[in-house]
Amino acid sequence: MAIDNPQPKGSPFINGPRLLDRHRAMAQIGATANGGVNRQALTPEDTEGRRLLLQWATARGYTASIDPIGNLFIRRPGVRSSLSPVMTGSHLDSQPTGGKFDGVFGVLAGLEVLETLDDHNVATARPVELVVWMNEEGSRFAPVTMGSAVAAGAVPLERVLATQDTKGMTVSEALAQQISQLPPLESRPLGAQGFAYIEAHIEQGPVLEGARCDIGVVSAIQGLHLYQVEVLGFAAHAGTTPSKHRKDALVAANALIARIRSEVADPLDVLRFTVGRFEVAPGSPHVVPGKVTFSIDLRHPDPEHLLRTGDRILEICSGEIEHCSISAKALLRSSPVLFDERLVSVVLNVAESRGFAHMSMVSGATHDAKYMADRTPTAMIFVPSEKGISHNELEHTEDEDLCAGTQILCDALLVAATMEL
Ligand code: GLV
Ligand code: MN
Ligand code: MN
């Protein structure tokens, strides 16, 4: 670890103990018995996390504002406040059995950069802005990266506001409920756009640890499709209905998943195929299942391969299987995204100057940076995840790696603040 190597000219050292204390405080909110967090989007826990962040930010005099989809912006003014900001950010929401670092790291690293600049009286021409994106995880309300997608204009606000959770509550209702629990915030219009956006995140996979690298210089994010499949059978009495009269939606769904898996199998193991949600109705032990709904999360770095595979899945998920009818729809078809080459080089150069072992990589997970990249030169910084574990309560990143990634974020944002991109 080389945190005390010569710093890029003019870039101050971050305050590691403060950063780590804040991680510990944030990890208390929605803490689970197994050491993770459950802070799903637009729940009281998510709001409590935002309140704590706002408390830290307003104590330093930063201004906070919120857009119509609930993205939160914290701004440190620049000398020339009319200039577009250099931005950073991530998310505070989690999966139901999420880890303490996914998203949180990027938010707290961003706040740490703002405060470091103040501690060292560093004035930047451009404002530096931290964003907390609404519902990155897409767990309670699907799909993922909801707030950044709306901010980028990739998805209409009205459609997202009408999205329901499994209990029938809409994003619009949950948003109104949760915003009322925050301190009063200035409203700002949709359309987050900056001069540059750099997001710090844990890797969530095993690559950096395996390569013994401290820093991942992320050049791209692989594509992600999300499908919802419905298998319709006929609910019947479990004790009286003979096999030949059954239309068992669960039996059919199992056969369907096995068929899809074997047809899309990738000998190179680059394609990622996951059925993460599986709902059986009516869900009684004594009723032959009448309906099954399940999700397919599909990812690949090659846009054509991803589209071809997605189309094939839609083809397979039509017609009938095991006497049950099948239908499917795409909830998200997001292509791979390449980051801005010059900004990626900035990250690479500052990692090099600090003497960190670094490597270039493509992100397997998706991030809000994907939508920012549509409108703003964007890059990402990764730090290692122990054993590659993420979306799991055991997710862990070493303190020194959190500090290293935050230092690189600080250095890179400062360079970006003085660049002509
Ligand atoms: C983000 O949380 C992802 O699932 O990639
Ligand atoms: Mn994340
Ligand atoms: Mn995540």
Side-chain angles (χ1 to χ4, degrees):
M1 212 44 54
I3 194 95
D4 49 7
N5 270 11
Q7 58 198 351
K9 203 161 147 265
S11 182
F13 284 111
I14 59 128
N15 181 336
R18 175 173 60 200
L19 174 78
L20 300 173
D21 274 352
R22 293 201 163 152
H23 272 88
R24 282 187 281 271
M26 198 54 89
Q28 310 273 308
I29 302 176
T32 58
N34 296 323
V37 293
N38 179 3
R39 211 168 39 229
Q40 292 179 70
L42 301 179
T43 59
E45 291 76 21
D46 185 23
T47 301
E48 203 183 324
R50 286 170 163 231
R51 265 206 307 266
L52 179 59
L53 183 81
L54 284 167
Q55 212 175 297
W56 290 327
T58 48
R60 280 313 280 245
Y62 305 135
T63 49
S65 57
I66 194 159
D67 73 9
I69 193 59
N71 298 313
L72 188 63
F73 297 80
I74 291 168
R75 175 179 277 232
R76 179 182 189 260
V79 176
R80 295 176 57 199
S81 277
S82 59
L83 292 178
S84 58
V86 168
M87 298 173 75
T88 184
S90 201
H91 58 100
L92 289 175
D93 68 308
S94 79
Q95 293 290 336
T97 51
K100 300 189 286 277
F101 302 99
D102 177 0
V104 178
F105 168 55
V107 172
L108 297 183
L111 181 64
E112 180 53 41
V113 172
L114 266 59
E115 295 203 72
T116 296
L117 298 181
D118 274 320
D119 293 346
H120 296 264
N121 297 315
V122 178
T124 54
R126 294 178 180 277
V128 183
E129 200 162 67
L130 166 65
V131 197
V132 182
W133 299 107
M134 197 284 289
N135 188 24
E136 191 272 353
E137 295 291 359
S139 160
R140 177 177 173 199
F141 296 101
V144 289
T145 51
M146 201 172 244
S148 51
V150 173
V155 187
L157 174 66
E158 290 66 34
R159 189 162 99 209
V160 166
L161 288 176
T163 305
Q164 296 183 352
D165 67 9
T166 51
K167 298 198 175 90
M169 184 180 250
T170 61
V171 166
S172 168
E173 289 160 344
L175 199 55
Q177 203 177 65
Q178 294 308 318
I179 288 179
S180 73
Q181 303 302 310
L182 288 174
L185 294 165
E186 202 181 296
S187 300
R188 60 186 274 157
L190 280 177
Q193 195 162 6
F195 179 72
Y197 176 80
I198 307 178
E199 179 168 348
H201 207 282
I202 56 165
E203 182 206 330
Q204 308 184 267
V207 176
L208 288 174
E209 190 181 64
R212 297 183 184 282
C213 278
D214 310 314
I215 296 292
V217 180
V218 186
S219 59
I221 297 184
Q222 70 173 341
L224 161 60
H225 287 190
L226 177 65
Y227 298 96
Q228 183 170 297
V229 184
E230 190 178 282
V231 180
L232 212 53
F234 192 79
H237 197 291
T240 61
T241 318
S243 299
K244 65 176 182 200
H245 291 304
R246 289 188 182 215
K247 293 181 176 176
D248 185 328
L250 179 55
V251 169
N254 276 333
L256 179 61
I257 292 169
R259 178 163 173 217
I260 301 169
R261 285 195 65 213
S262 84
E263 287 218 21
V264 305
D266 175 10
L268 300 175
D269 197 23
V270 176
L271 184 85
R272 302 279 175 256
F273 170 90
T274 306
V275 175
R277 178 169 285 167
F278 193 91
E279 286 162 352
V280 182
S284 161
H286 310 299
V287 181
V288 175
K291 181 168 130 179
V292 165
T293 314
F294 64 90
S295 60
I296 297 176
D297 172 314
L298 190 72
R299 309 195 196 203
H300 200 281
D302 173 7
E304 261 105 60
H305 190 114
L306 186 62
L307 271 178
R308 241 190 351 263
T309 312
D311 286 346
R312 181 70 193 121
I313 287 177
L314 286 175
E315 226 169 72
I316 300 169
C317 292
S318 61
E320 285 204 351
I321 189 164
E322 298 277 347
H323 314 294
C324 297
S325 62
I326 325 166
S327 59
K329 64 177 176 195
L331 296 183
L332 178 72
R333 285 188 137 192
S334 170
S335 303
V337 163
L338 284 180
F339 289 150
D340 183 83
E341 275 179 29
R342 292 189 58 201
L343 206 55
V344 173
S345 303
V346 168
V347 173
L348 189 134
N349 289 337
V350 295
E352 185 77 33
S353 328
R354 289 276 180 191
F356 289 118
H358 57 84
M359 63 181 287
S360 172
M361 61 191 300
V362 173
S363 175
T366 199
H367 299 284
D368 297 299
K370 189 167 194 175
Y371 285 110
M372 277 309 278
D374 288 349
R375 307 160 63 103
T376 297
T378 292
M380 284 190 80
I381 299 163
F382 275 177
V383 293
S385 292
E386 195 176 270
K387 300 195 182 94
I389 296 171
S390 188
H391 283 186
N392 186 303
E393 291 155 290
L394 298 179
E395 176 183 278
H396 182 71
T397 294
E398 292 292 339
D399 290 352
E400 59 180 2
D401 292 327
L402 298 173
C403 292
T406 305
Q407 187 63 59
I408 296 307
L409 180 68
C410 183
D411 296 352
L413 285 171
L414 266 180
V415 174
T418 56
M419 273 176 92
E420 290 302 323
L421 286 169

